Amino acid sequence: MTAPAIEAVDLTRRYQLDGVAVEALRGVSLRIDQGEFTAIVGPSGSGKSTLMHLLGCLDRPSSGVLRINGVDIARLSDAALAELRNRTIGFVFQSFHLLARTTALDNVALPLVYRGLGRAERRARARAALESVGLGHRMDHRPSQMSGGEQQRVAIARALVGEPKVLLADEPTGNLDTANGAEVMAILDRLNAGGGVAVVLVTHEAEVAAHARRQVHVRDGLIERIHLRDGLAEDGAS
Amino acid sequence: MEAVNATEALVMAMEALRVNRLRSVLTMLGVIIGVLAVVILVAIGTGAKDEIERQISGLGTNIILVVPGRISLGAAPTQSKLGLADVAYVRRVVGDPSKVTVSLQSGETVRVGRTEVFVTVIGTDQNLVNIFERPVGKGRPLSETDVDTRRRVAVLGSEVADRLFGDLDPIGRQVTVAGARFRVVGVYATVGQTFGLSRDQEIHIPVTTAQRLLGIERINGLAVGASGPDEIDPLSDRVTAALRDRYPGEQFSAVTQTALLGTIGSVLGMLTGVLAAIAGISLLVGGVGVSNIMLVSVRERTREIGLRKALGARQRDILAQFLIEAVLLTTIGGLVGILLGVGGALAIEAFTEVPASITWWSIALAFGVSAAVGVFFGVAPARRAGRLDPVIALRAE
């Protein structure tokens, strides 16, 4: 049996906001297997974004254990964590987060810069990634010259170019119209089915969440319930 | 994981500066002006020093000026008690009479027809031309007989000759000096200025004639020519000691070129240093500007920093990115400043009276300091960028 892509045990995350302690996560345990498609669903303020930041190693838990690809991140330095993000995680954000005055190709190649790859190889891989999301004809366009749907597809290509184990998508359709949103979801479906990439989708839209095999409902910093697409329900405390 | 390679980082930084072109140029302007000021001010300071040293050496070589009193910078000149008898005495002390000459100076009006000029009239003798290496362009210098017989003859500086006679040949013509008529026997070759006084605006007459004309017995001072640099110090000691023997209780000073060069050189060196320091302050202010703009840039690009971190940039990748931008700003500014400074110094040298001489150390220093300013003032903003929390950075705006 292979190690889970992500394994979280009893994660908590507390913030100090203006001197007031806020408990965003109050003990979450979750396992994301290789190649799985999971949606994290919950109203705003439920802690789902905090959870995603933790799963993506952008943040560290206040307590609990988080293992990415079998590695406990508590022991990792900042540099090792950065490398883990670079090699294991691909991010897709609601607001795309593309570099404005940079071409689609260079945007997609950016993660590979931090892997120390040469320019030629970066470009070749970025080109392949852009082609895989159907943007082979937009290589030299800047974000401002593309539609929102196209920009999000560039962002997906950027998330994929490093061949991550897990793709974390935070409200990927939040800024898109229905048609573009559907197209983006279709790409995520296809990637998950064909490439074996685990997809973790954070959303508050039931329709979007329905793409996932498993829906993890988060409320008030806790997992409320886990819902499987085939109708079975898992115990919330798995 | 490999580090981001240096060329890559440089290209990225160039791109960031290019994107914010106007801001980059304005930021560089502070550094440009600072470096420009360093290069130009040091060039002027050095030029002034070179010029004065050139003028001092232009006075002739191995000359000892003997004057009454104690000479120090800023002290008032002492009333002279020396007379021609003392000159004869010094000649005996020195041994070679042709190595001693004399000077009695006075500002007087000189007239030819209706043309009047105000000049320095110097009473001297036949030895001046050899000791001070003062070549005569036309006619002859003063002779021993001129001095002995108190002839009313004059040798003109080239500028005086020009102004009084224009294109006419002055030799054999009359000039009126302080009311008395003199015959021009010679014109000196052009020699230029010393300390802002043009030596081409002098008229030399026999010292004996000058004493009678001005109605005085004394002289201002005398000059002794040493036969070589090694002889300067012992000879000046011998002459001043002999004069002190003759006038117990009086002080006499020997001024040599080496001493003059030393004193003036150190004063001007200090002046150049002060100029460079003032210019350095403007460079520092330019550095503060760079720091300020980099902080703004970090704030503006918070989301970009967050994104880069999410994609795998380490703290030190981000730190390096912003540090390189800062250093690039100051070094490009430094190079432009050096180019403009060198150009400015060359223009000043070519088109104004102010001497300017470019020194390589000032250019190297200005460039080194501007790069250092980039590092020094770039570190704080770059560290701030490197330490940004990616979660917060991604949420910015």
Side-chain angles (χ1 to χ4, degrees):
Chain A
M1 183 191 145
T2 54
I6 299 177
E7 190 178 17
V9 183
D10 206 19
L11 292 185
T12 68
R13 183 68 174 97
R14 283 181 296 274
Y15 299 103
Q16 293 288 329
L17 275 181
D18 297 330
V20 181
V22 177
E23 197 151 33
L25 287 182
R26 298 190 290 155
V28 169
S29 296
L30 184 67
R31 181 189 157 113
I32 311 281
D33 281 320
Q34 311 270 2
E36 208 185 348
F37 198 144
T38 305
I40 296 175
V41 190
S44 68
S46 62
K48 63 182 193 301
S49 288
T50 304
L51 180 57
M52 198 204 77
H53 290 143
L54 287 177
L55 298 182
C57 301
L58 289 173
D59 197 4
R60 291 176 193 254
S62 304
S63 72
V65 176
L66 178 61
R67 276 188 284 269
I68 309 286
N69 236 4
V71 180
D72 185 350
I73 69 151
R75 296 196 207 118
L76 298 181
S77 65
D78 166 80
L81 212 54
E83 178 169 1
L84 193 66
R85 284 197 291 269
N86 185 266
R87 296 202 174 263
T88 317
I89 317 271
F91 287 97
V92 176
F93 303 96
Q94 177 174 0
S95 51
F96 322 141
H97 280 310
L98 299 175
L99 297 185
R101 293 177 223 232
T102 306
T103 62
L105 192 65
D106 286 336
N107 262 299
V108 172
L110 190 58
L112 303 179
V113 168
Y114 294 111
R115 204 175 282 189
L117 293 184
R119 184 179 161 85
E121 188 180 354
R122 290 202 312 262
R123 299 208 128 204
R125 288 171 71 164
R127 198 168 289 125
L130 273 173
E131 274 159 3
S132 78
V133 296
L135 287 178
H137 59 298
R138 288 281 188 266
M139 306 271 186
D140 297 321
H141 286 59
R142 284 152 206 261
S144 57
Q145 299 166 315
M146 289 185 278
S147 72
E150 285 174 328
Q151 290 185 52
Q152 193 59 302
R153 280 149 68 193
V154 171
I156 292 171
R158 181 182 62 193
L160 289 175
V161 76
E163 294 171 345
K165 291 269 189 293
V166 182
L167 196 140
L168 288 176
D170 186 4
E171 304 276 9
T173 59
N175 283 6
L176 301 178
D177 61 22
T178 316
N180 275 313
E183 193 174 357
V184 162
M185 287 315 297
I187 290 173
L188 292 182
D189 282 339
R190 200 180 70 228
L191 287 170
N192 179 248
V197 181
V199 176
V200 177
L201 187 66
V202 174
T203 184
H204 65 275
E205 290 175 69
E207 204 178 312
V208 172
H211 284 263
R213 191 188 67 87
R214 186 168 68 140
Q215 293 181 23
V216 177
H217 291 263
V218 180
R219 183 179 287 271
D220 298 333
L222 288 168
I223 293 180
E224 191 182 40
R225 64 194 164 88
I226 293 178
H227 171 83
L228 296 179
R229 191 160 57 192
D230 49 21
L232 298 170
E234 268 181 37
D235 180 9
S238 76
Chain B
M1 182 156 64
E2 305 272 319
V4 177
N5 89 44
T7 338
E8 207 69 56
L10 210 62
V11 170
M12 236 155 57
M14 288 288 249
E15 181 59 24
L17 298 186
R18 202 180 58 78
V19 162
N20 278 305
R21 215 167 297 133
L22 179 65
R23 181 202 285 174
S24 303
V25 168
L26 287 177
T27 311
M28 277 178 205
L29 207 56
V31 179
I32 292 173
I33 292 170
V35 169
L36 181 98
V38 168
V39 173
I40 288 189
L41 289 182
V42 170
I44 289 175
T46 313
K49 192 174 161 195
D50 291 353
E51 173 67 14
I52 286 179
E53 285 176 355
R54 195 184 59 72
Q55 288 181 10
I56 292 175
S57 2
L59 283 174
T61 47
N62 305 328
I63 295 170
I64 305 160
L65 300 172
V66 182
V67 289
R70 185 169 282 287
I71 289 259
S72 62
L73 243 88
T78 315
Q79 186 65 39
S80 173
K81 286 185 176 163
L82 293 176
L84 287 177
D86 301 307
V87 178
Y89 171 69
V90 170
R91 283 196 164 120
R92 285 197 300 281
V93 171
V94 173
D96 181 352
S98 74
K99 290 291 188 190
V100 180
T101 185
V102 61
S103 159
L104 171 57
Q105 305 192 4
S106 180
E108 301 293 342
T109 303
V110 174
R111 189 164 54 78
V112 171
R114 283 187 200 152
T115 316
E116 274 189 5
V117 290
F118 190 77
V119 300
T120 308
V121 173
I122 299 180
T124 183
D125 63 17
Q126 68 282 1
N127 297 324
L128 176 132
V129 285
N130 291 323
I131 294 172
F132 284 91
E133 291 165 21
R134 193 79 190 264
V136 172
K138 259 184 209 165
R140 62 167 180 86
L142 295 175
S143 70
E144 197 173 352
T145 322
D146 293 336
V147 178
D148 290 347
T149 61
R150 285 185 186 153
R151 276 198 192 132
R152 290 208 280 201
V153 292
V155 181
L156 307 183
S158 59
E159 204 177 319
V160 180
D162 269 359
R163 283 167 64 184
L164 288 177
F165 294 103
D167 293 336
L168 294 175
D169 183 1
I171 307 296
R173 293 182 189 273
Q174 302 276 323
V175 291
T176 308
V177 180
R181 310 241 284 179
F182 282 72
R183 186 166 53 85
V184 178
V185 294
V187 177
Y188 286 118
T190 305
V191 286
Q193 296 190 338
T194 300
F195 305 138
L197 292 174
S198 169
R199 286 186 288 136
D200 300 319
Q201 287 186 25
E202 294 171 352
I203 286 186
H204 291 185
I205 60 176
V207 63
T208 45
T209 321
Q211 283 181 325
R212 174 174 286 179
L213 183 71
L214 302 171
I216 45 180
E217 290 295 313
R218 56 172 185 85
I219 58 166
N220 288 127
L222 44 90
V224 181
S227 52
D230 296 339
E231 212 204 327
I232 293 177
D233 283 342
L235 188 60
S236 55
D237 288 349
R238 215 162 82 219
V239 171
T240 48
L243 282 170
R244 272 196 295 272
D245 278 354
R246 194 167 157 93
Y247 296 101
E250 294 283 326
Q251 287 289 341
F252 295 92
S253 303
V255 183
T256 61
Q257 275 165 302
T258 351
L260 266 181
L261 282 175
T263 313
I264 289 172
S266 68
V267 168
L268 286 173
M270 223 158 68
L271 183 74
T272 307
V274 169
L275 289 179
I278 291 170
I281 289 171
S282 67
L283 192 53
L284 215 62
V285 173
V288 174
V290 169
S291 198
N292 202 1
I293 285 299
M294 289 311 294
L295 281 174
V296 171
S297 175
V298 168
R299 170 153 302 200
E300 258 187 19
R301 288 153 68 191
T302 301
R303 271 156 55 106
E304 177 192 329
I305 293 163
L307 171 78
R308 285 177 184 273
K309 286 198 149 186
L311 298 183
R314 292 162 301 175
Q315 278 197 16
R316 62 172 219 238
D317 292 326
I318 302 291
L319 185 135
Q321 181 185 347
F322 281 88
L323 199 55
I324 289 172
E325 274 181 38
V327 172
L328 215 52
L329 272 176
T330 59
T331 47
I332 292 175
L335 285 177
V336 173
I338 285 170
L339 285 181
L340 293 180
V342 168
L346 291 177
I348 286 173
E349 173 73 10
F351 300 116
T352 71
E353 298 285 297
V354 181
S357 120
I358 295 154
T359 48
W360 296 108
W361 66 261
S362 74
I363 290 176
L365 186 78
F367 185 74
V369 168
S370 56
V373 158
V375 174
F376 186 77
F377 288 100
V379 158
R383 281 169 79 106
R384 171 174 289 197
R387 286 183 179 161
L388 275 178
D389 180 344
V391 172
I392 294 169
L394 279 168
R395 276 204 209 114
E397 284 166 278

